[in-house]
Amino acid sequence: MSERIFSACIQQAVLLSLAIALLRAARPVLLRQGAGLTYAAWSLVPLLMLTPALPHPGMEPLRLALMAASGPAAAGLASIPALPPHSTAPWMALWLVGTLAVLVVQSWRQWRLARLGARLPAGSSPALVGLLSPRIALPIDFEQRFTPAERELILAHEAVHRERLDNLWNLLATLLVALHWWNPLAWLGARRMQADQELACDSAVLASRPDCGRTYAQALLAAHHLQPQAAPIASRWASTHP
């Protein structure tokens, strides 16, 4: 049983890495089509990881490819070798410990942000917090740091996060990172996805307010030194912009 679980985990890791690598390679082309499409393309990651659940041929695809390339001589090839059963248990234990550690840290970050309520400490970045009933949390110096026009644009930015259910996607990204904590591509993909998320929100706000580009840029500059309250179920006004 543990061998099958470990094999499935490795397969998911390969699919996750492949999806992130493909999106990274396609990024220049996607950006020409707009920030919204670039962000939407990240939905291909979980979709690709779900492909093993689809109906598949009884014979392994790699073996089928080898048979097609080599003809009847490859018909007697053995199946793709698997790890010896006795070697999977320690790796599964290590994998589980790492996943639990990441989940504990992320849960603590979410608890720390949630207990602050709707008013964040001075110098914090505004954020949309929560999943089922997300709320906009603002720093206590929000009105002093930003002009009325800038505040309106920041609130519009967070409203786009709410409409697009971005906190749900952030939670999914956090869970994937926790499950694949040892894979640097998982961490890279999560950061890149959130950066594209911010660009997509910027694009949506500016598309509805095409005459506010200068004010929007000033709001980004005013937030440059704000401290982000990082949490898995939160979308924040970027203090460092991609």
Side-chain angles (χ1 to χ4, degrees), residues 24-35:
R24 182 64 179 172
R27 181 174 172 75
V29 177
L30 291 171
L31 282 175
R32 294 194 200 100
Q33 308 305 316

Side-chain angles (χ1 to χ4, degrees), residues 88-157:
T88 60
W91 291 110
M92 282 297 300
L94 178 61
W95 197 321
L96 180 60
V97 168
T99 296
L100 290 176
V102 174
L103 290 176
V104 167
V105 171
Q106 294 294 348
S107 297
W108 176 77
R109 287 178 174 176
Q110 188 66 40
W111 172 82
R112 182 184 62 178
L113 178 57
R115 68 190 291 268
L116 293 174
R119 301 298 285 175
L120 303 177
S124 298
S125 175
L128 180 71
V129 184
L131 188 61
L132 298 179
S133 299
R135 69 179 188 281
I136 297 178
L138 301 173
I140 58 176
D141 59 346
F142 182 63
E143 294 185 357
Q144 290 73 36
R145 185 176 293 273
F146 300 100
T147 67
E150 291 170 353
R151 295 199 298 268
E152 181 183 355
L153 291 174
I154 291 173
L155 294 177
H157 177 100

Side-chain angles (χ1 to χ4, degrees), residues 146 150 153-154 214-224 237:
F146 300 100
E150 291 170 353
L153 291 174
I154 291 173
R214 181 180 179 86
T215 305
Y216 203 90
Q218 291 172 338
L220 290 173
L221 289 173
H224 183 66
W237 176 257

